[in-house]
Amino acid sequence: MRDQSLSLLDITQMDMSRHQFAFLSACETAVGVPTTPDEVIHLAAGLQFAGVKSVVGTLWKVDDSTVQRLVEAFYKNLCGDGTMNSKRAARALHREVQSLASEKDIPLAQRIVFVHIDI
């Protein structure tokens, strides 16, 4: 999509069923639009509509250093044996959020910003 924007509608109409996992570390990737609060479509859900089985997203603004710490540890946990298994995503995210909880320099809002959505 070099010459135009990629919309959420474009994503939902793609076939991404061969993709098992996506990690969306940008801000508010699992939040809908405030003008339509009764609709639950957001980037993470859009990827699921397109066929991605397991998605990690964020619920609000994230701190870059927190994301970096969590993502590095998350992927070590997810791919620890050398292969990525999307079925381990929820457990890997839970473990890393738990480890952030012990770090007093990270505010609570940053420890609970991530959400895992799976089929």
Side-chain angles (χ1 to χ4, degrees), residues 91-105:
R91 181 161 295 173
L93 182 62
H94 178 74
R95 284 183 183 153
E96 300 322 315
V97 168
Q98 289 284 97
S99 72
L100 287 180
S102 65
E103 299 184 31
K104 302 301 180 203
D105 62 321

Side-chain angles (χ1 to χ4, degrees), residues 20-22 53-54 78 84-90 116 118:
Q20 295 291 313
F21 179 71
K53 305 217 179 350
S54 180
L78 185 69
M84 183 165 63
N85 182 345
S86 65
K87 293 180 180 177
R88 293 191 296 232
H116 175 254
D118 201 341

Side-chain angles (χ1 to χ4, degrees), residues 1-114:
M1 316 253 19
R2 293 182 182 153
D3 58 348
Q4 60 187 9
S5 297
L6 178 65
S7 72
L8 186 53
L9 179 60
D10 294 330
I11 291 171
T12 60
Q13 294 174 343
M14 293 178 178
D15 179 10
M16 295 185 168
S17 58
R18 61 189 172 102
H19 300 285
Q20 295 291 313
F21 179 71
F23 195 111
L24 307 172
S25 60
C27 299
E28 299 177 351
T29 56
V31 177
V33 181
T35 56
T36 57
D38 57 334
E39 296 193 23
V40 292
I41 188 71
H42 43 71
L43 183 55
L47 287 172
Q48 283 209 293
F49 284 125
V52 179
K53 305 217 179 350
S54 180
V55 181
V56 173
T58 60
L59 296 171
W60 45 81
K61 185 177 177 188
V62 293
D63 177 69
D64 289 341
S65 63
T66 301
V67 170
Q68 182 180 356
R69 289 160 73 175
L70 184 125
V71 170
E72 286 175 2
F74 172 84
Y75 275 105
K76 284 180 185 175
N77 199 327
L78 185 69
C79 307
D81 63 358
T83 60
M84 183 165 63
N85 182 345
S86 65
K87 293 180 180 177
R88 293 191 296 232
R91 181 161 295 173
L93 182 62
H94 178 74
R95 284 183 183 153
E96 300 322 315
V97 168
Q98 289 284 97
S99 72
L100 287 180
S102 65
E103 299 184 31
K104 302 301 180 203
D105 62 321
I106 299 176
L108 176 61
Q110 290 297 298
R111 290 183 250 153
I112 60 173
V113 67
F114 298 95

